[in-house]
Amino acid sequence: MPRPRSLTPEQIATAALAVLDRDGLDGLSMRTVAQELGVGTMSLYRYVSDRGQVEELVVDLVLQAVDPAIPRGTPGKRLSALADRVRVVVSGHPAVVPLLLTYRHRSPSSLRWGEAMLTVLTDAGLTGKRRVIAFRAVLGYVFGALQVAHFGPLSGPGTAALAELPPEEFPILSETAARARGITPEEEFRKGFEIVLRGLGL
Amino acid sequence: MPRPRSLTPEQIATAALAVLDRDGLDGLSMRTVAQELGVGTMSLYRYVSDRGQVEELVVDLVLQAVDPAIPRGTPGKRLSALADRVRVVVSGHPAVVPLLLTYRHRSPSSLRWGEAMLTVLTDAGLTGKRRVIAFRAVLGYVFGALQVAHFGPLSGPGTAALAELPPEEFPILSETAARARGITPEEEFRKGFEIVLRGLGL
DNA sequence: TCCTGTAGGCGTGTGGTGTACGCCTACGAA
DNA sequence: TTCGTAGGCGTACACCACACGCCTACAGGA
């Protein structure tokens, strides 16, 4: 066999994540990733079929850092801990947030995390269609909340602008936005997830 | 004053939405929108500062179709109806889903909808920090669920692939995915939202 | 040691993108 | 009729993803 491969998918993912962390999503391109690896742009195509696959690799690399082991405690505590692990890991790489929903379902790490969540839901007595709905609702909340927090953080200019809205037209929205300043992303995510848990009866 | 303006923001939004509905998000570009309007590409820049503003216009155009009037019924019924109006409107233009979370907070129509949701939450007795958390959780669920449904519908190839996963490694995930086939987006969204409502005590 | 087939590295080219710049001109007011 | 303003937009540039095909590094066989 001639010419052993010189790049691993993991190296590509690591390089892409470095670019993402440094220059954001706009800075991510085949050129910049190749440059980060010290390799020609077209060489990347020996290892991935297109840009989407690079994004897929980087999403999985990030989610690999989520420990899928099932924590101890009540079902509610277990689910909270599993969900919060995703929040912690993702908040370390905010630029990947927009990619999460697109590639989540193709990431093996995400699948392992999903199996863990479903295991806890099953232990809690959920089966059949109810379990499907519960799992999808949790998915929607977790990834939706991460994106809402990313694109419009409570301690950001967006919320500040809402607080300045004319009170005669938006009385409650402006008041609520003013009240929101200072709530941390961690508290927002955790208490929001508690609402979902309560809805599940856990 | 010479040369009256020949394009309105609404016309631009309508043209962009037509492109989006016809050719999807990938088909949306300044060139295609200009062509749709029968105008030169650069002429658009007399009316918008960049592509992002076109996307903003189209998101608001879509959300304008959401009636922000507060429905009758219990608080739970009111919130469900308001949320479902968003789902119905958005499902008519699936290609805008990825744009929603990015531009939601700059859309006047979205603000009016938010004020309506908050009004119901307030009528139900929520105030202060609890109201902030509740509102953000609802936002996270609504927009997250729409995206989850868009990128990985239960009756789509993604879920079918999950059902084929090795049962020894993903016993519950594969079983749950198999059970998911045939659940409509409407049912998924509505029952998921009921979980959130129950968590809010409504 | 040399040869050779395979597959990695990547330069070049194509058709797309967003948008800066600056010319031409249609138009309303004087 | 003239003139100033602002709309319309052609051209150009930098960037993008990626198809194609050449060159060459390498491992195994002779």
Side-chain angles (χ1 to χ4, degrees), chain B residues 31-80:
Chain B
R31 284 172 187 17
T32 54
V33 172
Q35 203 161 28
E36 182 76 20
L37 289 163
V39 99
T41 305
M42 293 312 292
S43 306
L44 282 183
Y45 286 91
R46 293 277 174 191
Y47 303 90
V48 296
S49 65
D50 58 9
R51 180 209 166 99
Q53 218 165 91
V54 174
E55 299 183 338
E56 200 176 315
L57 286 172
V58 77
V59 165
D60 190 60
L61 177 63
V62 169
L63 294 182
Q64 270 176 33
V66 177
D67 178 3
I70 295 174
R72 304 210 165 270
T74 64
K77 299 256 184 221
R78 295 179 184 194
L79 291 171
S80 293

Side-chain angles (χ1 to χ4, degrees), chain A residues 84-96:
Chain A
D84 205 56
R85 285 180 197 162
V86 172
R87 184 195 60 79
V88 168
V89 162
V90 167
S91 69
H93 307 282
V96 305

Side-chain angles (χ1 to χ4, degrees), chain A residues 178-189:
Chain A
R179 182 67 183 77
R181 184 184 310 271
I183 299 179
T184 66
E186 193 268 346
E187 179 178 8
E188 180 192 351
F189 183 87

Side-chain angles (χ1 to χ4, degrees), chain B residues 123 132 169 184:
Chain B
D123 287 351
V132 175
E169 198 177 354
T184 66

Side-chain angles (χ1 to χ4, degrees), chain A residues 64-85:
Chain A
Q64 270 176 33
V66 177
D67 179 3
I70 294 173
R72 304 208 165 273
T74 65
K77 298 257 183 219
R78 296 178 182 194
L79 291 172
S80 292
L82 279 168
D84 205 56
R85 285 180 197 162

